[in-house]
Amino acid sequence: MLEVDGLVKAFGGFHAVDGCTLRVAKGEILGLIGPNGAGKTTLFNLVAGALQPTAGTIRFLGEDITALPTDARFHKGLVRTFQIPHEFHNLTARENLMMVPPRQPGENLFANWFAAGKVRAAEEAVRQKADDTLAFLELTHVADERAGNLSGGQKKLLELGRTMMTDAKLVLLDEPAAGVNRTLLRKLEEKILILNRERGYTFILIEHDMEMIEKLCAPVVCMAEGKVLIQGDFHTVRSDSRVLEAYLGETPTAVEREAAEHDPKVEELREQELHREDL
Ligand SMILES: Nc1ncnc2c1ncn2[C@@H]1O[C@H](COP(=O)(O)OP(=O)(O)OP(=O)(O)O)[C@@H](O)[C@H]1O
Ligand SMILES: [Mg+2]
């Protein structure tokens, strides 16, 4: 479904992605792991079209999309979510979903804008789809809540919902588990699995949460310094000496993370997060 060959992205003299070659087959949930700064998000930006590669090619469903703009890739069913959710704070959860541009031109509200009578029908269809999506994600109770007031986990679910509004084929999920409490995390995992098994979505999932990777992903690919180190099943990849070595280089960050775990500010945010789950 996706073929990435010899992809390079240079920022000045620094190669954030440095000759990356990767295959994703239809129906997979490919787990993309690697230490901080390995180039995972940059790879997503290249595949989604937010960045142009310095070298290399990207093929999607057999077609070379390397030069295509983001929206053209989106219309082909290649959709990404963000490491930090990109919701519109002041719109409600439902409105956030209704804002997603449709993949089928016929569904476009604005194309029908001047056609009397069609507007309401089109809007009603989009609203219905948004409500179905909210129901699937178990977010119906916050449909009219401003997205800015949702918990971190609910925002991640809403991001997933945005991909459902477009009937995506390949979804790039960048750290869906980050900042999500355990209860919502289980829900997020369950929804990703249903979308994969029952609705035919293919995923690439970047995650530092190894439990989530182990549960959902096959194959697993580990990147380091802009390159693919190894691809295989979870246990093979996790126990590979090159992977362990790549993560060792991350020690200062791991120490920082450990320190952050006990930071009272972080504790306070977590409390707020738990409180918001009650919404
Ligand atoms: N726009 C940019 N300009 C310059 N350097 C960049 C830019 N974007 C990313 N980088 C650098 O490229 C490297 C890879 O960054 P990237 O965000 O892709 O890593 P990552 O694997 O997603 O890391 P993390 O797990 O921390 O999210 C980092 O060293 C980063 O500082
Ligand atoms: Mg990243």
Side-chain angles (χ1 to χ4, degrees):
M1 177 171 242
L2 183 76
E3 299 156 82
V4 169
D5 279 292
L7 213 58
V8 176
K9 180 64 192 178
F11 295 113
F14 172 69
H15 287 187
V17 171
D18 194 14
C20 183
T21 294
L22 188 71
R23 296 282 178 278
V24 185
K26 186 169 167 18
E28 282 179 348
I29 306 180
L30 183 141
L32 187 56
I33 66 168
N36 295 113
K40 306 179 298 294
T41 298
T42 308
L43 177 65
F44 268 18
N45 283 331
L46 293 168
V47 171
L51 289 174
Q52 267 301 307
T54 312
T57 57
I58 306 164
R59 296 176 71 80
F60 179 59
L61 298 172
E63 183 191 347
D64 189 335
I65 59 161
T66 317
L68 284 187
T70 310
D71 59 339
R73 299 183 199 204
F74 177 87
H75 287 297
K76 291 184 183 300
L78 177 48
V79 177
R80 59 101 43 104
T81 69
F82 292 91
Q83 192 162 346
I84 298 162
H86 273 42
E87 81 286 351
F88 296 98
H89 302 274
N90 288 321
L91 296 183
T92 66
R94 181 190 290 111
E95 286 164 348
N96 263 274
L97 294 183
M98 291 179 71
M99 287 286 291
V100 178
R103 280 218 292 132
Q104 307 302 327
E107 290 174 13
N108 192 329
L109 283 187
F110 300 103
N112 288 324
W113 200 250
F114 296 106
K118 276 194 178 171
V119 178
R120 206 177 307 141
E123 179 170 347
E124 193 43 51
V126 174
R127 170 180 284 265
Q128 189 56 52
K129 191 161 186 171
D131 283 348
D132 291 347
T133 301
L134 289 166
F136 173 78
L137 298 171
E138 300 172 45
L139 289 176
T140 303
H141 60 300
V142 291
D144 297 311
E145 189 66 45
R146 280 178 54 223
N149 291 339
L150 300 183
S151 74
Q154 289 170 330
K155 285 178 186 173
K156 292 285 172 98
L157 283 167
L158 196 62
E159 281 269 317
L160 189 60
R162 288 164 58 83
T163 73
M164 295 175 62
M165 291 300 289
T166 71
D167 300 320
K169 293 188 174 123
L170 174 62
V171 179
L172 314 176
L173 295 173
D174 199 347
E175 298 199 25
V180 178
N181 75 37
R182 288 281 131 191
T183 317
L184 274 194
L185 195 54
R186 295 289 92 80
K187 202 172 280 183
L188 192 62
E189 289 169 353
E190 178 195 322
K191 303 306 174 193
I192 292 171
L193 275 179
I194 295 175
L195 286 174
N196 175 248
R197 289 179 184 163
E198 294 172 21
R199 304 204 189 183
Y201 279 44
T202 302
F203 289 97
I204 308 179
L205 195 160
I206 296 179
E207 195 42 75
H208 289 290
D209 182 329
M210 289 303 145
E211 238 184 280
M212 189 179 204
I213 293 279
E214 182 177 13
K215 243 190 251 172
L216 300 185
C217 299
V220 174
V221 168
C222 180
M223 270 183 87
E225 297 179 352
K227 294 184 179 70
V228 169
L229 273 186
I230 179 176
Q231 170 164 341
D233 64 60
F234 176 78
H235 293 285
T236 309
V237 171
R238 277 300 277 171
S239 54
D240 188 274
S241 60
R242 288 164 294 174
V243 173
L244 297 173
E245 203 174 301
Y247 274 94
L248 277 183
E250 199 199 11
T251 306
T253 318
V255 169
E256 280 161 23
R257 280 189 179 182
E258 179 66 20
E261 280 293 309
H262 303 293
D263 184 334
K265 261 191 222 137
V266 172
E267 291 297 327
E268 192 183 312
L269 282 172
R270 207 166 270 155
E271 281 300 309
Q272 286 173 7
E273 165 98 346
L274 285 174
H275 174 69
R276 282 193 195 143
E277 302 304 340
D278 300 335
L279 268 175

